[in-house]
């Protein structure tokens, strides 16, 4: 029923049967291939909506900071210094190769899952309790030491919500592919 309604709505947008036929031809469709494509799109949208339904409204966020260095050895040496009581912000300012955050003591700000360019850093920050430090965590930038400062929730709307929903769906989809048994026949 949803598919029939969507086809009818698209047909009505075209304005006439002739315009509809012209639109199908211009977009390399016939009636059956358009219905099949639209059916796939509707199913994908329903799955996305089901997977991301919890993402609406208030989302978990974390306030974290990091120190990024080029080698794992450097990261381990800094971790020892942190464990010996040195200040995280001071070490970040002196040692981190991420100049955008080093000036602020490694502060990454408050972010939701899916907002950082390095998902492994975000996953670690969300897994830590406030005050805890973890690392070294490898990313394309280098090796991170991560400290979670606080956890909370915040309401997101508009474009930010759309970005978070898309990131959540892509993480779910990647997980499905990672655990699926895919057979390819040539």
């Amino acid at each position: 029923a949803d598919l029939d309604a969507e086809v009818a709505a698209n047909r009505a947008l075209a304005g006439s049967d002739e315009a509809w036929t012209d639109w199908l031809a211009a977009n390399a469709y016939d009636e059956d291939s358009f219905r099949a494509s639209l059916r796939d799109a509707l199913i994908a949208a329903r799955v996305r909506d089901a997977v991301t339904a919890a993402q609406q409204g208030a989302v978990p966020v974390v306030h974290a900071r990091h120190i990024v260095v080029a080698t794992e050895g450097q990261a381990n040496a800094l971790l020892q210094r942190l464990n010996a009581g040195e200040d995280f912000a001071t070490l970040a300012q002196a040692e981190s190769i991420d100049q955008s955050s080093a000036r602020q003591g490694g502060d990454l700000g408050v972010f939701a899952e899916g907002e950082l360019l390095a998902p492994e850093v975000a996953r670690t920050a969300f897994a830590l309790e406030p005050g805890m430090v973890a690392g070294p965590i490898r990313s394309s930038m280098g090796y991170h030491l991560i400290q979670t400062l606080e956890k909370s929730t915040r309401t997101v709307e508009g474009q930010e919500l759309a970005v978070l929903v898309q990131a959540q769906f892509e993480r779910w989809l990647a997980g499905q592919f990672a655990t699926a048994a895919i057979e390819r026949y040539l």
Side-chain angles (χ1 to χ4, degrees):
D2 289 345
L3 179 58
D4 290 338
E6 200 65 35
V7 169
N10 279 277
R11 183 177 224 124
L13 283 174
S16 70
D17 286 343
E18 183 179 326
W20 174 243
T21 303
D22 290 345
W23 184 89
L24 287 173
N27 290 283
Y29 285 117
D30 60 27
E31 188 84 30
D32 290 337
S33 63
F34 178 75
R35 285 181 69 81
S37 178
L38 187 56
R39 179 183 176 277
D40 290 347
L42 290 172
I43 290 170
R46 286 231 175 129
V47 169
R48 182 203 61 228
D49 292 347
V51 168
T52 61
Q55 192 72 21
Q56 309 302 315
V59 297
V61 293
V62 67
H63 182 194
R65 56 187 176 182
H66 73 158
I67 301 170
V68 187
V69 292
T71 69
E72 189 173 10
Q74 290 172 306
N76 283 323
L78 288 173
L79 185 58
Q80 288 177 351
R81 290 172 64 184
L82 287 169
N83 289 336
E86 288 194 49
D87 181 61
F88 195 101
T90 303
L91 281 176
Q93 289 172 340
E95 304 290 339
S96 185
I97 61 175
D98 178 10
Q99 295 303 310
S100 63
S101 70
R103 288 182 286 253
Q104 291 80 35
D107 197 341
L108 294 169
V110 177
F111 55 90
E113 233 179 318
E115 286 187 304
L116 287 186
L117 293 177
E120 50 280 316
V121 171
R123 275 193 303 273
T124 301
F126 274 90
L128 294 172
E129 291 301 317
M132 294 177 64
V133 175
I137 306 298
R138 187 168 189 244
S139 81
S140 60
M141 292 176 63
Y143 291 86
H144 302 254
L145 298 177
I146 301 157
Q147 182 181 43
T148 295
L149 300 173
E150 62 182 314
K151 290 180 170 184
S152 61
T153 59
R154 79 165 183 233
T155 302
V156 294
E157 298 173 337
Q159 182 62 29
E160 184 181 12
L161 179 60
V163 168
L164 293 176
V165 165
Q166 183 64 29
Q168 180 185 10
F169 182 66
E170 288 173 4
R171 282 191 308 274
W172 174 82
L173 195 56
Q176 295 300 305
F177 275 114
T179 60
I182 300 172
E183 296 180 24
R184 296 177 192 233
Y185 300 95
L186 300 176

